[in-house]
Amino acid sequence: MINPHYGNIPPSYLFSEVATRVRTFQDANPDQRILRLGIGDVTRPLAPAVVEALQDAVQEQASDATFRGYGPEQGYAFLRDAIIAGEYAPIGTAITAEEVFVGDGSKTDTAGVQELFDADARVAVSDPVYPVYVDSNALAGRLGEFVGGKWSRLTYLDCIESNGYRPSLPEAPVDLVYLCSPNNPTGTSLSRSDLEQWVTWARENDAVILFDAAYRAFITDDSAPRSIYEIEGAEEVAIEFGSFSKTAGFTGLRCSWTVVPKALRREGASLHAMWSRRHATKFNGTPYIVQRAAEAIYSPEGREQVQADIDYYMRNAGLIREALNASGVAAVGGRNAPYVWFRCPGGLDSWEFFDRLLAEIQVVGTPGVGFGPAGADHFRLSAFGSHEDTLEAVARLTTLIPALGRTDSSPVLVRSES
Ligand code: PLP
């Protein structure tokens, strides 16, 4: 009677385990100041232009003449048009407002998109990656058995030092591939030629690319595409996800978009029509006031204010990356994404390194194993903290790392107990 796949999926314990270990340490050491570079959430408040738009929209809801109830499931035209004008027209893509579906966060849609595909569809993901892609397919029963830390029917595209932390084209046949660029957790982004290869591969193999661009606003390198639709022919092979969460501090407000091009068809079916039907069946729209708030990030003041917050985080990212590199750790990311990623020094695995950082310098990061098996000996530091905490954390890291030895050396210290 019940879905058996819920019983097969391993528990998602990463962040609760992090919280438990931090709490235990703090209880035992109440005077120590812990610096948190593990968070995947923003910390800066909403931009003033966003707050003003929210307040105005709330006022509209307070009067007969301007009250709004249910809105269009696909999103209000004002926001769909603003997304096109703000995100897609400037980079020369031909995506239209009708192909944009406003949602309440990319998690919802990156988890839901797999419903458009057959129960037997073969899936590939970058590894390590945002875990929602894998878990949503596992719950749908598409991934086989979970054995030895891996799903038997999932193709893992390892993103490791030797390939510059970028996924290589699958060797086995695959129908769906999830790509995230800039990627969480590695902070690396795919170049134009990488994406050209992917689009060509998808066209030749009749595959569909599910392209998560939640961190597109953090790209500073102009040669990295912000959208897969910058690549010719991508509208026939790709669905793209964008989010206001990290771009503009909407992790609490909740607003996102999904692009399903009308040109994307498989086996005679329009994926746009299918997604439209699914969206209308399962979703009743993002709140009007939130859509007005999202629209405000595209006003001249909104743009400036949101960019200032992104610059703030990216300054932190640069500091973290440079400090690690200066300590002899080959860190990646931090240029086009608010995450820095590196192999744990001293041959430690990611939980061992977590414990050492917490115990010895009171810095909290995220163990890479939580993002997939290829992350087992890697670590993520996030730039979403305050500038002051980041500076302090970086100073502490630069004292600890040399003591642990370089990444390519064998362990130099006795490992902690946990
Ligand atoms: N995609 C990636 C790669 C993420 O890291 C996240 C959140 O951390 C999301 C999507 C989901 O974001 P939201 O649901 O807040 O839009």
Side-chain angles (χ1 to χ4, degrees):
M1 182 174 85
I2 57 161
N3 179 346
H5 306 302
Y6 279 75
N8 295 340
I9 192 167
S12 147
Y13 72 101
L14 177 75
F15 288 101
S16 60
E17 181 62 22
V18 165
T20 304
R21 293 192 191 198
V22 172
R23 206 171 38 245
T24 306
F25 178 85
Q26 189 78 84
D27 288 348
N29 303 276
D31 299 333
Q32 302 277 22
R33 195 164 92 83
I34 296 177
L35 302 171
R36 290 161 206 273
L37 268 62
I39 40 172
D41 197 356
V42 293
T43 52
R44 316 257 321 140
L46 292 169
V50 169
V51 174
E52 198 181 314
L54 265 177
Q55 286 167 334
D56 291 349
V58 168
Q59 275 312 314
E60 285 183 61
Q61 293 291 74
S63 105
D64 279 351
T66 50
F67 169 76
R68 315 247 188 162
Y70 289 126
E73 290 104 349
Q74 297 82 355
Y76 282 99
F78 65 77
L79 181 56
R80 298 169 91 190
D81 290 342
I83 290 169
I84 293 297
E87 308 281 351
Y88 289 100
I91 51 176
T93 67
I95 298 299
T96 64
E98 278 188 13
E99 295 169 312
V100 172
F101 295 81
V102 175
D104 65 358
S106 286
K107 185 182 222 175
T108 315
D109 285 357
T110 53
V113 69
Q114 45 79 28
E115 291 176 28
L116 299 189
F117 302 97
D118 197 279
D120 289 334
R122 295 157 302 185
V123 182
V125 290
S126 309
D127 175 25
V129 84
Y130 183 52
V132 167
Y133 320 143
V134 175
D135 289 359
S136 55
N137 278 286
L139 293 178
R142 210 173 266 118
L143 303 188
E145 301 301 316
F146 190 69
V147 189
K150 286 194 167 186
W151 290 99
S152 58
R153 269 195 97 243
L154 178 64
T155 298
Y156 293 84
L157 307 172
D158 289 355
C159 299
I160 49 181
E161 276 160 318
S162 57
N163 60 16
Y165 296 99
R166 295 196 320 274
S168 309
L169 299 176
E171 283 161 17
V174 160
D175 303 303
L176 302 177
V177 61
Y178 290 81
L179 297 177
C180 182
S181 179
N183 187 40
N184 176 16
T186 60
T188 46
S189 53
L190 296 173
S191 67
R192 189 167 300 278
S193 70
D194 292 331
L195 284 183
E196 279 166 358
Q197 268 197 324
W198 276 106
V199 168
T200 305
W201 166 85
R203 293 172 71 86
E204 286 170 1
N205 291 278
D206 241 2
V208 174
I209 298 173
L210 304 165
F211 189 75
D212 187 347
Y215 295 94
R216 57 188 271 150
F218 293 85
I219 293 177
T220 57
D221 169 3
D222 284 342
S223 65
R226 287 168 179 245
S227 163
I228 196 162
Y229 304 118
E230 290 184 47
I231 310 302
E232 206 182 324
E235 65 286 351
E236 291 177 7
V237 296
I239 292 176
E240 180 167 287
F241 307 91
S243 175
F244 293 90
S245 282
K246 308 296 160 67
T247 304
F250 275 55
T251 52
L253 273 187
R254 315 299 303 145
C255 195
S256 62
W257 74 88
T258 295
V259 176
V260 188
K262 291 191 173 169
L264 179 54
R265 304 182 67 84
R266 286 295 179 274
E267 296 161 15
S270 155
L271 272 76
H272 179 273
M274 289 170 69
W275 185 253
S276 206
R277 179 58 195 260
R278 184 221 174 249
H279 205 60
T281 301
K282 296 202 167 185
F283 189 60
N284 248 344
T286 303
Y288 171 71
I289 60 173
V290 173
Q291 293 192 54
R292 280 294 183 202
E295 180 194 23
I297 79 157
Y298 299 112
S299 70
E301 315 77 61
R303 270 174 201 281
E304 212 171 282
Q305 293 160 3
V306 162
Q307 189 59 48
D309 287 335
I310 291 172
D311 293 346
Y312 178 95
Y313 295 132
M314 290 309 284
R315 192 163 148 232
N316 290 344
L319 278 173
I320 299 168
R321 179 192 164 110
E322 281 156 26
L324 288 167
N325 286 340
S327 306
V329 172
V332 296
R335 260 195 202 120
N336 291 329
Y339 300 122
V340 177
W341 181 252
F342 54 96
R343 188 142 67 90
C344 302
L348 301 176
D349 76 27
S350 63
W351 275 115
E352 290 168 338
F353 186 61
F354 174 91
D355 288 334
R356 297 290 299 269
L357 284 192
L358 179 60
E360 294 177 33
I361 57 170
Q362 294 78 57
V363 169
V364 177
T366 312
V369 70
F371 300 96
D377 58 356
H378 277 68
F379 209 70
R380 188 190 79 175
L381 291 175
S382 148
F384 285 129
S386 74
H387 189 57
E388 295 68 33
D389 280 4
T390 305
L391 275 175
E392 175 62 28
V394 156
R396 295 184 193 180
L397 277 167
T398 43
T399 59
L400 179 70
I401 301 265
L404 289 173
R406 307 223 161 197
T407 43
D408 54 358
S409 67
S410 51
V412 292
L413 290 175
V414 178
R415 294 183 178 188
S416 59
E417 279 304 299
S418 60

